[in-house]
Amino acid sequence: MSAPFGRASGARDARAAAGRGPRARRTALAVTGAVGLAGAAVIAGGALGARGGAGRPDAPAPAGQAAPGATALAPGGTPSPGARGIGDPLMPLAGNGGYTVGRYTLTFDWRAPGTPFPASANIRATATQALSRFDLDFAGNTLRTVTVDGAPAKAVRDGDELVVTPAKPLARGRTFTVQVGYTADPTQRRHRDDAIQDYGWVPTADGTLLSPQPDGAKMIFPADDHPSLRAPVTFKVTTPPGLTAVANGRLVERVRQKDGRTRWTYDSEAPVAAQLVQLAIGKYDLTERRGPGGLPVRDAVPEDLVAGTEQYRSLTPEHLSWLEQRLGPYPFRRYGVLVGDAELPVALETQSLSVVPSADLLGDQVDAERNLVHELTHHWTGDSVAVRRWSDLWLSEGHARFYERLYSDTHGGPSLEDAMRAAYEQHDQWRHDDGAPAEPRASTLFRQMRYDGSALVLYALREKVGEDTFGRIERSWVTTYRGRAAGTRDFVALASRVAGQDLTSFLDAWLYGAHTPPMPGRPDWRTDPVAED
């Protein structure tokens, strides 16, 4: 996701305090029946190391191995409840313990803008412990039915948690299917006082699109909602005549029904985190072109904006080539831009289909390309290489902002050095207000420190080790952890290994220190004095 730009030189953005929403009261509901369609099981990876404090983790997880946490296999065979969250200090109830999701199949019977509609989620999962009950992240919406393997299950709503008790306990290692039938409410949105602003369902003139980051997927479907947890998604969406549905991945089937409505089926093609799921419905044209190596590039554009946005959308193959030269092959099977003709405060990197506000594609080219390159970069760092926990967000947003700035440097924007010097001047203030790059607070997660402030960490690393070594670190990072979750300690260890020197103390000072370290090779750079609250 890209934050608002502010001034081209680095932006002294206004700093607002983030609020906390009230916990919903506990309500209980016993539900029966079955709806939805079963999906094929595909084992997904990624887990979080659960720790009690908000500080940095003690050690990197070995490559290919999930950090220990609430989702680890439980010893013994006595059924017990799955954990309510996977232990992320910033969002304690994000994700769920006791199982891994193999596939989501989401069935939506869309009616009209702002109108509730029938929906169902079929979740194929595998128990990682003997389960007496388990949770799903699910907020709002009207619950209709819940079954486990076709048998009615007890469901209790506790705030944003849906606690499901199957008729019989589930053995460790067992694959099971949960079906949740509900009435979806496409007006559900929440607000954060950072770059995210309003998120969840985003209304458009004739339909909707999704902005689920960071934890808004639970307003759309029952999920295991943490960025380190991913599973493939099948979408089955029925739309009224004249409307198009578009979602992550490949269009598998489009069937015109007898009543004139159309059934659209999409396959995400790769595991996707709940915060990166996209579904848009409206009067869209689907335009196609080819990227490097014949990569399919499919844009979804409101009918009246196809011509007006073509100039900047046509640059996507160039952006892909530029990033592939620095980060290696694009990590998914297809890409595209979803033009958001709605009140979107920011662009968003939903997997394989980045959302870019129409205003950005109708304005200044430098700003448009910054957004386009930023969201595309996320597909390497943030989507393919997922963050292990929310405090690792600097790895996602910092990389996207760094390459956005690097591209802009030679394509009409401010120089990278000027942008980074401006960020350096403000860095102590950002540390004071928003936390160090790798130590955010929940309320300051998507503040300027995670954008230009974290890009500055990568710039400092490049100045420390040199451009060639930095390039090797970056390519190794996205290659080593492709399709997996990784965290800050993983990055520090990899950078040290590739550089042939221990960079721990250098990077720890930048990532966790109370004050901004000196910039290598820039002895004249100074931070501005901190203004106390």
Side-chain angles (χ1 to χ4, degrees):
M1 188 202 73
S2 60
F5 295 142
R7 295 209 313 265
S9 63
R12 285 178 170 83
D13 291 6
R15 291 173 285 270
R20 297 177 182 269
R23 275 287 298 270
R25 64 184 179 87
R26 175 187 287 265
T27 57
L29 176 66
V31 292
T32 60
V35 292
L37 298 171
V42 180
I43 300 301
L48 172 75
R51 301 187 187 277
R56 56 185 179 270
D58 300 323
Q65 179 178 325
T71 56
L73 296 182
T78 302
S80 59
R84 304 186 68 205
I86 64 171
D88 193 312
L90 295 186
M91 296 187 186
L93 295 183
N96 303 284
Y99 63 89
T100 58
V101 175
R103 178 175 288 270
Y104 297 97
T105 298
L106 307 179
T107 304
F108 290 164
D109 187 6
W110 176 265
R111 301 301 172 87
T115 303
F117 61 91
S120 68
N122 178 290
I123 304 167
R124 190 77 177 268
T126 300
T128 57
Q129 67 178 68
L131 281 172
S132 59
R133 68 172 188 258
F134 57 89
D135 283 23
L136 292 165
D137 300 311
F138 193 43
N141 301 293
T142 302
L143 190 63
R144 299 297 184 192
T145 61
V146 178
T147 66
V148 176
D149 288 336
K154 179 183 178 182
V156 176
R157 304 202 77 155
D158 184 8
D160 289 347
E161 298 290 302
L162 178 62
V163 185
V164 178
T165 304
K168 297 181 180 179
L170 302 170
R172 171 178 167 175
R174 175 177 169 179
T175 297
F176 61 98
T177 299
V178 185
Q179 294 186 133
V180 181
Y182 60 104
T183 300
D185 179 2
T187 67
Q188 284 201 105
R189 303 179 81 181
R190 291 185 179 178
H191 181 80
R192 290 178 58 92
D193 288 327
D194 55 18
I196 293 288
Q197 299 187 41
D198 294 326
Y199 65 107
W201 295 91
V202 178
T204 62
D206 44 32
T208 191
L209 57 84
L210 304 182
S211 182
Q213 195 178 57
D215 61 342
K218 62 193 175 188
M219 291 184 274
I220 299 156
F221 64 100
D224 198 12
D225 189 5
H226 188 272
S228 69
L229 304 175
R230 298 183 280 192
V233 182
T234 298
F235 304 84
K236 297 180 180 293
V237 184
T238 303
T239 61
L243 297 186
T244 297
V246 61
N248 310 85
R250 178 174 67 94
L251 176 60
V252 175
E253 186 178 55
R254 179 174 59 190
V255 178
R256 180 68 60 85
Q257 299 182 329
K258 292 181 179 179
D259 62 359
R261 295 164 62 80
T262 301
R263 178 76 169 268
W264 309 77
T265 302
Y266 284 87
D267 177 10
S268 69
E269 299 185 296
V272 55
Q275 64 148 347
L276 301 175
V277 165
Q278 184 55 256
L279 169 67
I281 297 169
K283 295 180 179 179
Y284 290 105
D285 273 5
L286 302 181
T287 67
E288 298 184 356
R289 68 183 94 240
R290 292 288 173 175
L295 178 77
V297 176
R298 172 206 60 184
D299 294 343
V301 191
E303 292 175 345
D304 59 346
L305 292 174
V306 173
T309 61
E310 169 63 17
Q311 179 183 355
Y312 301 157
R313 289 188 295 106
S314 68
L315 299 172
T316 294
E318 176 185 333
H319 299 156
L320 282 159
S321 295
W322 187 87
L323 283 166
E324 285 190 338
Q325 291 171 14
R326 290 155 179 81
L327 298 174
Y330 175 74
F332 299 103
R333 294 183 184 178
R334 66 195 70 244
Y335 183 66
V337 172
L338 168 61
V339 178
D341 190 18
E343 293 182 5
L344 279 169
V346 291
L348 185 67
E349 69 278 9
T350 49
Q351 189 168 299
S352 79
L353 190 64
S354 292
V355 182
V356 179
S358 59
D360 293 342
L361 297 173
L362 297 171
D364 175 73
Q365 181 167 343
V366 170
D367 286 349
E369 288 198 83
R370 283 184 59 186
N371 259 347
L372 290 164
V373 171
H374 183 108
E375 306 311 335
L376 179 54
T377 302
H378 272 303
H379 286 73
W380 281 266
T381 62
D383 294 11
S384 176
V385 182
V387 296
R388 187 176 297 279
R389 63 193 218 165
W390 276 115
S391 58
D392 300 317
L393 182 66
W394 78 272
L395 283 164
S396 176
E397 296 297 349
H399 272 100
R401 181 54 58 91
F402 178 83
Y403 285 101
E404 162 204 328
R405 290 286 193 188
L406 185 62
Y407 181 89
S408 185
D409 178 277
T410 56
H411 291 78
S415 73
L416 178 64
E417 182 173 343
D418 285 349
M420 293 297 95
R421 183 165 187 165
Y424 189 88
E425 291 170 355
Q426 301 168 77
H427 221 250
D428 271 358
Q429 186 71 56
W430 292 340
R431 285 174 189 265
H432 174 271
D433 294 346
D434 306 334
E439 288 188 321
R441 299 182 292 276
S443 61
T444 65
L445 191 54
F446 290 89
R447 297 285 286 274
Q448 201 68 20
M449 180 56 93
R450 253 52 68 190
Y451 295 91
D452 282 292
S454 297
L456 186 68
V457 177
L458 297 172
Y459 181 81
L461 176 61
R462 193 179 77 156
E463 295 301 295
K464 170 76 170 176
V465 303
E467 288 190 31
D468 289 345
T469 299
F470 178 77
R472 289 190 288 111
I473 290 170
E474 293 292 274
R475 288 187 292 273
S476 181
W477 174 246
V478 298
T479 300
T480 300
Y481 290 101
R482 177 171 176 164
R484 293 187 285 156
T488 300
R489 306 319 301 171
D490 299 311
F491 183 82
V492 172
L494 181 142
S496 298
R497 183 170 65 252
V498 173
Q501 59 178 301
D502 187 353
L503 294 167
T504 304
S505 60
F506 175 80
L507 285 171
D508 278 3
W510 278 94
L511 292 167
Y512 301 107
H515 301 285
T516 306
M519 176 60 68
R522 303 290 191 275
D524 58 323
W525 284 20
R526 298 286 185 271
T527 59
D528 292 340
V530 173
E532 298 292 337
D533 295 336

